Amino acid sequence: MKVRTIWHNVRIATCDEAMTELHDAALITNGPTIEWIGRESDMPRDLDREAKRVDLRNRWITPGLVDCHTHLVFAGNRAQEWAEILKGATYEEIARRGGGILSTVSATRRASEAELFDQAAPRLESLLAEGVTTIEVKSGYGLTLEDERKMLRVARELGRRYPVLVRTTFLGAHAVPPEFAGRADEFIDAVATEWLPALYDEGLIDMVDVFCDRIAFDTTQAERVLASAAKHQLPIRMHAEQLANIGATQLATRMRALSCDHLEYSNEDDVRTMVRAQTVAVLLPTAYLHLRETKQPPIESLRRHGASIAVASDCNPGSAPSASLLLAGALATRLFALTAAEVLAGITRNAAKACGAERRGMLKVGCAADFVVWDVAAVEEVLYWMGRAAPAMVVRDGVRLNSLGPQPFANDS
Ligand SMILES: [Zn+2]
């Protein structure tokens, strides 16, 4: 039998399209689903019988947070290279001695599935402790069929072992591996015609992504991978316009991408096509900060055209060594001048849309009963702190996961 719970005496940021805020509110969950939401005084009495009641003492709740762009699964890290860069080494010098992304590729290839899991788990735990209940995880550091499979299997296993919905993305077209040096087209061939169909058949892929940029794959190569994704009815994403504008957004939107991510070099025309195609603009301020980028994504234009904006951690060892979605959110308000409400929508509703997580990122009847209870006076406080905000309670699929903070919550019946 499903358990019905009444979570009452609460303020709710629903994060629906209107960003509705409810005071003196209540939320009724029935098993893993939201059954009712509204003012406590309007609560239907017939639902009251035999329900468990939880008094949230006028705290705020938001939907469970959604981290829609991560490279969470990888082995090793690049702290040593970073220290050298701080002392004056250049990325080119480091790349020439096999550093950079290729050092992560070799570490990831050397790691067993169990080792990869053990290294990714603490990063996932950091995100869960912040209230993340849905996460996207990309492959892309294996770059052989076996090693891409290994990464995706680890991502799936994390979703089985932790209370989080994991959406996997095949990012085989992340970089050209050493064995294909100088033969990028042949590599793309393998990714599009062999690896993608094989991993799809094994049920390991929910989405497909391509790094389409000056230093990665061009639009012709990207299109071959995305066409293969479309053939398998897989939704697509795109690392677009991070370092230069080479038409990645135009290609992605033509193919109805769920999202275009980074976007520092995208222009007004790109924004218009994203809005028309209902493609989410995913901003990654942690990478922007770490790389000391100075060119900002076209925030004003995104706002003016009413684009859906998401914000994600981009957790990865090269450009965003961070496992904090709340830090990314806090940075988005400072570096990109997004409002707290824009970021809140960006780490809930719009993020869910960007990673194709249906019924997540919003508190509405019929949506998943994933939510976070915050001990804050105003909901903006969640993004005001930089590295301090922590949830008082996280509920996933209607089940309370933890109770942090000094006082336990009372179940008053
Ligand atoms: Zn990325």
Side-chain angles (χ1 to χ4, degrees), residues 69 71 138 239 262 284 314 316:
H69 181 139
H71 306 254
K138 300 177 197 297
H239 279 71
H262 284 290
L284 305 165
D314 195 16
N316 80 71

Side-chain angles (χ1 to χ4, degrees), residues 61-187:
I61 70 174
T62 66
L65 306 184
V66 179
D67 197 352
C68 68
H69 181 139
T70 85
H71 306 254
L72 186 92
V73 174
F74 57 85
N77 65 54
R78 292 189 231 151
Q80 217 49 52
E81 292 177 13
W82 171 74
E84 283 175 47
I85 286 167
L86 291 181
K87 286 190 282 184
T90 66
Y91 283 99
E92 285 70 24
E93 282 163 13
I94 284 173
R96 243 181 281 124
R97 1 180 176 118
I101 188 168
L102 292 181
S103 73
T104 300
V105 171
S106 24
T108 302
R109 286 178 177 181
R110 278 195 307 273
S112 69
E113 213 167 294
E115 286 164 344
L116 264 188
F117 181 95
D118 289 345
Q119 292 194 40
R123 294 189 281 269
L124 179 61
E125 285 167 17
S126 300
L127 289 162
L128 299 191
E130 294 188 325
V132 170
T133 53
T134 299
I135 185 175
E136 183 256 15
V137 179
K138 300 177 197 297
S139 72
Y141 293 120
L143 306 183
T144 66
L145 174 58
E146 300 70 46
D147 293 304
E148 289 291 294
R149 177 186 289 124
K150 182 172 72 180
M151 290 187 71
L152 292 164
R153 284 172 53 92
V154 169
R156 282 274 190 256
E157 186 62 12
L158 289 165
R160 276 190 287 270
R161 302 257 293 270
Y162 284 91
V164 64
L165 173 69
V166 172
R167 300 271 302 154
T168 59
T169 301
F170 174 54
L171 178 59
H174 193 191
V176 179
E179 53 279 15
F180 280 92
R183 299 185 292 132
D185 284 326
E186 283 171 54
F187 174 66

